[in-house]
Amino acid sequence: MGHDVLFYAYEPVDNLPEGMACLDAETVFPRAELDDPERNIPLVIKSDIWRIAMLRKGLGIWCDSDLLLLKPIQWPEGLLLGVEKHGLPCVAVMWWPADHPALTEILTAFERREDGAWAHLKLRWRRFAKKLIGKRLDFTSYPWNHWGRHACAYYVRKYRLRSRQLGYKAFYSEECYSDAPFRAGSSQ
């Protein structure tokens, strides 16, 4: 498709497809911060934080490894972010300018162990209640999409970027967009 594919990992990977480079994930975000036993960070949150750090370093487009590109990725200048269910951003393929304040604010909240300005009221109340009795919430208390989709949705609203998000058709073929392959009894 004409895109360079860089695969980041904390351990060496021997069986990558031809033409794919394996780079050290440690250069993007320290593994020790993600694997801190005191923080008890679930894998999905580690992934969200790592992808935000990658974007913050200006290392290119984030693309989940389970996606199949049917055509080159093209997007308007300034932001690559799709729309998923309920109007929330799709974070499977995305690009933000490295100097965008949203990326810095998300990483700063994570490093300071704060909830982030996008945290739902229920989470804020639970944290407050735990603090009153001398306990801390660990990262398993966050919804799985708190640091990814919910954070991005907050910044899309804050910076009025909704009109720049790409619709379903930018990321899915007509068959997927019509939902045909997922209907019971579909012959596709």
Side-chain angles (χ1 to χ4, degrees):
M1 286 289 151
H3 295 292
D4 292 329
V5 178
L6 305 175
F7 185 86
Y8 286 86
Y10 287 105
E11 303 288 332
V13 177
D14 299 329
N15 58 351
L16 290 175
E18 187 178 326
M20 200 178 210
C22 185
L23 302 173
D24 185 5
E26 189 75 30
T27 63
V28 175
F29 200 87
R31 184 179 196 171
E33 286 187 48
L34 294 174
D35 288 345
D36 180 356
E38 183 182 311
R39 294 178 96 171
N40 195 21
I41 304 169
L43 187 58
V44 68
I45 292 175
K46 291 177 184 183
S47 174
D48 285 337
I49 293 300
W50 195 93
R51 79 181 74 191
I52 297 296
M54 186 217 84
L55 294 169
R56 179 68 180 95
K57 288 186 177 266
L59 297 175
I61 298 169
W62 168 268
C63 186
D64 281 0
S65 63
D66 62 348
L67 295 178
L68 174 64
L69 298 179
L70 301 176
K71 59 185 180 182
I73 297 174
Q74 297 176 356
W75 74 94
E77 279 298 311
L79 180 71
L80 171 60
L81 195 62
V83 177
E84 227 177 60
K85 299 175 203 161
H86 313 293
L88 289 172
C90 171
V91 296
V93 178
M94 66 176 175
W95 178 86
W96 293 67
D99 61 349
H100 198 285
L103 303 175
T104 302
E105 291 175 32
I106 293 168
L107 292 174
T108 299
F110 177 81
E111 289 163 3
R112 292 181 180 169
R113 299 175 185 226
E114 298 170 350
D115 297 332
W118 60 92
H120 293 268
L121 188 59
K122 181 178 176 181
L123 178 65
R124 291 174 187 263
W125 276 108
R126 276 199 346 230
R127 184 175 287 282
F128 177 73
K130 292 258 187 179
K131 200 175 202 179
L132 285 177
I133 60 172
K135 293 187 177 180
R136 282 185 16 189
L137 285 175
D138 67 12
F139 278 81
T140 60
S141 303
Y142 290 101
W144 67 269
N145 51 10
H146 175 77
W147 294 95
R149 188 181 304 167
H150 286 180
C152 288
Y154 170 81
Y155 288 106
V156 163
R157 285 188 308 273
K158 179 178 178 177
Y159 293 107
R160 295 183 172 95
L161 301 171
R162 188 170 299 252
S163 65
R164 296 175 68 192
Q165 286 182 268
L166 302 175
Y168 291 167
K169 290 183 181 182
F171 294 101
Y172 302 103
S173 70
E174 288 296 323
E175 292 81 23
C176 289
Y177 185 76
S178 69
D179 208 25
F182 305 105
R183 278 191 242 127
S186 174
S187 61
Q188 294 183 356

